[in-house]
Amino acid sequence: ILVSPPFGEKIDAKLASYTLGQKVGSRSETALTLLALNHLAHFGRAAILVPSGILFSNSEGELTLRTRLVEETTLEAVIALPKDAFQPYSSLQTNLLLFSKRRPDILHTVWFFQLEQDGYPSGRGRDLTVDPPQASDIPFAKWVLLDALDLPELYLSATDNLKIGIKK
C-alpha cells in the first residue's frame, strides 16, 4: 500500500470511528493511515506519507495509531523528509513511514533518517518535474534500506564527508 493522504482535512470523527472500529479523531491523515493499516495483507508492506503531528501529537487517535504501528507491524523506517520536500504544494514537515504487517521480533531495528537535502533548492520555486540539480540524501537512505542490510557492518570513510558507522 502506498498512501499520500491529504493533511489537515477535517473528517466526521463519528463516521470514521464507526468505519474503523476505534476512535481516530477528526484528522484525515490519521484516519487514512489507520484505514491502510487495517487493509494491509499479512506480510504486506506499506509506505505512507504523514505530517509530524502523527508522530508527536498526544491526541487519542495518534496515540492509538502509534501503538498499533509498534505492536502490530514491523516498523522498518521513519524518514523525516527535508522541510521543503513538497514545496510549492505544502510547507508541512513530512515523514515517510515504512512498515510491514507482521509482528516484530525482539531484536528488530527501526531506522530513523533525518534527510537534510533532496536535491532541489529550498523555497516555493522548486520544479519537482525535473531531475534534482543538487546532491541528495535520498540515495543514501535507499541504499541503507535496500542494499546494506545484508552487510554485517559498514563504516564510511572520512573521504565521503560522512561520519557514520552502521553495525547490525
Side-chain angles (χ1 to χ4, degrees):
I1 293 177
L2 179 62
V3 180
S4 178
F7 298 169
E9 294 295 319
K10 295 294 180 192
I11 60 171
D12 183 332
K14 287 183 182 179
L15 179 61
S17 295
Y18 174 78
T19 303
L20 296 169
Q22 65 187 75
K23 288 188 177 183
V24 296
S26 62
R27 297 175 64 177
S28 58
E29 61 270 19
T30 305
L32 291 170
T33 302
L34 280 166
L35 183 66
L37 178 58
N38 289 348
H39 284 74
L40 190 60
H42 193 60
F43 291 105
R45 299 185 78 196
I48 302 179
L49 289 169
V50 297
S52 293
I54 282 193
L55 301 176
F56 303 109
S57 173
N58 287 328
S59 69
E60 186 174 1
E62 284 78 16
L63 287 169
T64 300
L65 173 60
R66 289 193 304 267
T67 300
R68 288 193 59 198
L69 282 172
V70 170
E71 292 178 356
E72 298 175 21
T73 73
T74 298
L75 184 59
E76 297 164 13
V78 178
I79 303 171
L81 300 176
K83 64 181 176 91
D84 284 344
F86 288 98
Q87 284 281 14
Y89 309 106
S90 174
S91 60
L92 288 177
Q93 174 68 44
T94 305
N95 302 274
L96 180 63
L97 301 179
L98 301 175
F99 60 91
S100 57
K101 189 135 182 198
R102 63 178 188 262
R103 299 196 49 84
D105 63 27
I106 195 159
L107 299 175
H108 175 70
T109 300
V110 179
W111 290 93
F112 292 89
F113 292 94
Q114 173 69 49
L115 303 183
E116 298 294 329
Q117 299 291 326
D118 64 359
Y120 294 95
S122 185
R124 294 189 57 82
R126 298 160 51 97
D127 184 359
L128 302 178
T129 63
V130 299
D131 289 337
Q134 302 170 1
S136 171
D137 296 333
I138 295 172
F140 174 74
K142 177 184 171 198
W143 177 75
V144 168
L145 290 169
L146 298 180
D147 299 329
L149 293 179
D150 293 332
L151 301 174
E153 52 185 89
L154 164 72
Y155 293 95
L156 301 176
S157 69
T159 59
D160 293 328
N161 288 329
L162 297 171
K163 295 179 182 175
I164 187 169
I166 300 170
K167 191 169 186 175
K168 225 175 184 178

